[in-house]
Amino acid sequence: MSKWKNTICYGLGAFGHDSFYGILNTYMLMFITSLMFSNGSKSYTTKMVAIVTMILMVIRIIELVLDPFIGSMIDKTDSKWGKYRPWIFGTGLVLGIGSPFLFTTMGGMSTNNGGLFLVLFTILFLALYLVYAFKDISFWGLLPAMSLSSDDRGFTATGARIGSTLGGNIITVVYASLLTFFSGSKNFTVHGWFMFALTIGIVELIGSCFAAFGTKEKDSVVTEQNAEKITLKQVFHTLFHNDQLLWMSLSYIIYCLGTSTTNNFLLYYFRYVLNAQSSWALVGWVGMVTGFISIISYPTLAKYFGRRKIMVGALCVELIAFVIFSFTQTVTMTLVAQVLYTLANPLVFMVLLLTIADCVEYGQWKTGHRSEAATSAVRPMLDKFCGAVTTGLTGIIAGLAGMTGNATAASISTHDILIFKSFCFYIPFFCILIGMIIFIAKVKLDEKMHKDIVDKIAQNIKAEDSNN
C-alpha cells in the first residue's frame, strides 16, 4: 500500500510542479514579449524584451552552477521528515505566494521607470528562482529515496510522469479561458495574467503538500552508507567519476536544447504563423491524451523491450514528428506532428529520469560514496541550462521575427517565418539526432546492470560490517 500511496501523492506533487514549470518557462515569456512593455514604443518594447530575457538567461545559467551545492545541502538535511519533504513544502509555499508578482508591470514602472523596474524584477526573479532550484532538486531527489528497486522506481516515476503530463498540458487547455475570464475580455490584461499565475501558484502549493505529507523515504544499509560523513568534495568526486551520468547528461542536453526551443516557440507558431491562437487549447488536449497513453504504456514497454530500446524508438518517432513540423504550415498537420511528438517525449523523459535515478547506485558503487540529491540534481540542472539558453533565444528570435508587442500574424513576413522555423524546427531536428547517436554509443546502464550493482553494494557493506 505504501508504494501506491507514494505514487499517488508523488504524482499529485508532479502535477502541481509541472503546472508551475509551465508558467515559469513558457507563459511568462509570452507575458514579457506581449504585455509587460506594451505601453512603450516598438523600439522600447523590443529593447526591454531583449534585456529581460537576457537577464532570465544569465540568472538561470548562474543558478545551475549552484545546483551541486544545493544538492549537497539537501543531502545533509536531517529531520524526522527525511531529507526532501521539508524542502518540498517550504519552497512550495514561497513559490505559490511569490511567483504571481513576476506577472506584473509593478504599477506601470516597466514603461515609466524602466531602469528601476529592471533592478526590482531581477532581484525578485533571482530570489524566486533560487527557491525553485531547491524545490526542483528536492522533489526529483525524492524518487530514488523512496525505493532501491528499478521496478518500484519505474512504477512511481510512471505516476509522477502522468501527473507531470496532465499538469503541464492542463495549462495549455485552460490558458485562454482563464486569461479571458480574469481579464474580462479576450484582450488579455496585466490583472488577468496576475490572477492566472496566482491560480497556478495555488495548484503548485497544493501539489507540494501532497508530496511532502503523503510520501515516505525508505531507509536501508545501501541508502545509509556515508550518509553522515559525505563532504562537498566527495559529492563532486561522485558526480565526475560517474561516466554513465555524464554520457546520459551529454546526450540529453543536446536533445533538450532542441526540444526546449520548440516547446517555447510553439505558442508563437500558433499565434503569429498559423494565425490560430484559438486552436492552442487543442495542443493541450493532444498532450494530455497522448501523454497519458504514452506513460501508462511505459511499464509494459519496459517489460518487453527495456529502457534502451524504448529510448531509441521514441527518438526516432520524434525525428519523424519534426520532419512533419518542418514541411507543413497548417493546423491539422501541425497537430498530427504534435501527436507523434507528445507520444514519444514522455518516454524519453522516463528513460532519462530512471537512468539518472539508477546512477545514484552506479556512482556509489564506483566511488564508495552515495549522493542522492546531488546526482538527482543533474537532471534539473540540465533542464535549467536548456531553459536558460532557450529563454534568451526566445526573446531575441521573437524580436528578429517581429513577434513582440502588438504584432499580429498579418505583420509577419515570409522571411520572418523562415527565421522562426529554423530555430523552432530545423535545428531541433539535428539536436535530437545527435543526442540519439550519443545515447546509443555510450549509455550502457540498464535495469539488469543496476540490479547487479545494488546487490554488489549490499554484499560489500555486509562484508565490511562482518569484518568490523
Side-chain angles (χ1 to χ4, degrees):
M1 184 63 187
S2 61
K3 182 172 75 171
W4 276 98
K5 183 182 178 183
N6 279 343
T7 299
I8 292 170
C9 292
Y10 196 57
L12 291 171
F15 180 93
H17 191 66
D18 267 42
S19 296
F20 180 81
Y21 181 78
I23 65 164
L24 189 68
N25 201 54
T26 300
Y27 294 96
M28 189 170 76
L29 290 172
M30 180 57 75
F31 172 72
I32 290 169
T33 56
S34 65
L35 203 58
M36 183 176 275
F37 306 103
S38 60
N39 290 332
S41 65
K42 183 177 180 179
S43 60
Y44 178 82
T45 298
T46 301
K47 180 184 73 173
M48 293 297 283
V49 165
I51 292 173
V52 169
T53 51
M54 289 304 293
I55 288 171
L56 299 185
M57 183 179 74
V58 170
I59 288 175
R60 288 179 171 186
I61 290 176
I62 291 173
E63 183 279 323
L64 67 87
V65 176
L66 300 176
D67 278 358
F69 297 90
I70 294 172
S72 178
M73 289 176 62
I74 295 171
D75 266 327
K76 294 177 182 178
T77 301
D78 183 17
S79 76
K80 64 180 181 180
W81 281 5
K83 295 179 185 178
Y84 306 102
R85 293 182 294 156
W87 291 103
I88 291 171
F89 173 70
T91 54
L93 180 63
V94 173
L95 293 173
I97 295 173
S99 58
F101 293 98
L102 292 170
F103 291 79
T104 69
T105 61
M106 298 185 184
M109 191 185 298
S110 60
T111 50
N112 297 331
N113 193 340
L116 181 58
F117 174 83
L118 290 175
V119 171
L120 295 177
F121 178 84
T122 300
I123 293 171
L124 179 61
F125 183 79
L126 175 61
L128 289 174
Y129 203 69
L130 282 173
V131 173
Y132 175 76
F134 276 93
K135 167 74 187 299
D136 201 33
I137 293 170
S138 57
F139 183 82
W140 293 110
L142 180 60
L143 176 63
M146 287 188 284
S147 176
L148 289 172
S149 165
S150 285
D151 290 339
D152 287 351
R153 286 176 180 176
F155 184 81
T156 302
T158 299
R161 193 54 190 165
I162 289 173
S164 294
T165 300
L166 296 178
N169 285 288
I170 196 68
I171 307 302
T172 304
V173 172
V174 303
Y175 156 75
S177 299
L178 280 181
L179 276 172
T180 300
F181 174 76
F182 288 129
S183 299
S185 72
K186 292 185 178 180
N187 296 318
F188 303 156
T189 65
V190 174
H191 173 73
W193 275 102
F194 177 85
M195 293 303 297
F196 173 70
L198 179 61
T199 301
I200 305 307
I202 293 171
V203 171
E204 183 273 337
L205 176 56
I206 293 172
S208 297
C209 291
F210 274 105
F213 299 113
T215 61
K216 186 176 181 180
E217 298 170 33
K218 183 176 181 179
D219 296 325
S220 75
V221 293
V222 175
T223 59
E224 290 301 312
Q225 186 184 29
N226 306 117
E228 296 180 358
K229 60 183 180 181
I230 188 168
T231 65
L232 186 61
K233 180 180 178 180
Q234 290 165 341
V235 168
F236 280 101
H237 179 77
T238 300
L239 295 180
F240 287 115
H241 285 78
N242 193 325
D243 58 286
Q244 289 301 286
L245 179 64
L246 295 177
W247 283 118
M248 185 72 249
S249 299
L250 179 61
S251 170
Y252 180 70
I253 200 169
I254 296 172
Y255 162 88
C256 188
L257 283 170
T259 56
S260 292
T261 304
T262 303
N263 293 339
N264 282 0
F265 275 134
L266 205 56
L267 176 55
Y268 290 79
Y269 188 63
F270 270 76
R271 179 171 179 172
Y272 296 111
V273 179
L274 298 179
N275 193 23
Q277 182 166 280
S278 59
S279 300
W280 177 243
L282 294 175
V283 175
W285 285 113
V286 165
M288 280 198 292
V289 174
T290 57
F292 181 77
I293 292 171
S294 178
I295 290 303
I296 62 173
S297 68
Y298 177 82
T300 301
L301 292 173
K303 180 179 179 181
Y304 288 102
F305 300 104
R307 288 203 300 244
R308 286 181 56 78
K309 291 181 180 178
I310 291 174
M311 176 66 107
V312 175
L315 291 173
C316 287
V317 172
E318 287 195 10
L319 290 173
I320 295 171
F322 273 81
V323 170
I324 299 173
F325 274 135
S326 299
F327 292 100
T328 187
Q329 204 163 299
T330 67
V331 173
T332 300
M333 290 307 296
T334 299
L335 290 175
V336 169
Q338 185 69 5
V339 167
L340 295 176
Y341 175 62
T342 51
L343 276 172
N345 183 257
L347 297 177
V348 172
F349 186 86
M350 282 289 289
V351 174
L352 168 78
L353 185 64
L354 292 171
T355 301
I356 290 182
D358 288 355
C359 280
V360 172
E361 286 77 38
Y362 182 83
Q364 182 179 0
W365 173 60
K366 289 202 71 174
T367 66
H369 297 284
R370 181 179 182 85
S371 183
E372 291 170 353
T375 303
S376 299
V378 171
R379 201 278 310 161
M381 184 167 63
L382 299 174
D383 276 336
K384 282 183 279 190
F385 174 79
C386 295
V389 174
T390 54
T391 293
L393 282 175
T394 300
I396 294 170
I397 301 306
L400 290 175
M403 299 177 180
T404 59
N406 297 313
T408 63
S411 66
I412 307 300
S413 68
T414 302
H415 180 259
D416 293 335
I417 292 174
L418 177 61
I419 293 173
F420 180 83
K421 292 187 78 171
S422 295
F423 285 90
C424 191
F425 302 130
Y426 305 157
I427 294 174
F429 173 90
F430 289 102
C431 289
I432 295 170
L433 180 61
I434 294 169
M436 181 173 71
I437 292 171
I438 294 172
F439 178 85
I440 292 172
K442 294 296 184 180
V443 180
K444 307 300 181 183
L445 181 59
D446 59 11
E447 297 91 330
K448 182 180 183 303
M449 183 177 178
H450 174 257
K451 184 179 182 303
D452 292 341
I453 288 170
V454 171
D455 290 341
K456 289 176 182 177
I457 293 173
Q459 290 169 7
N460 291 340
I461 293 173
K462 290 177 181 177
E464 290 175 6
D465 291 342
S466 297
N467 292 333
N468 294 333

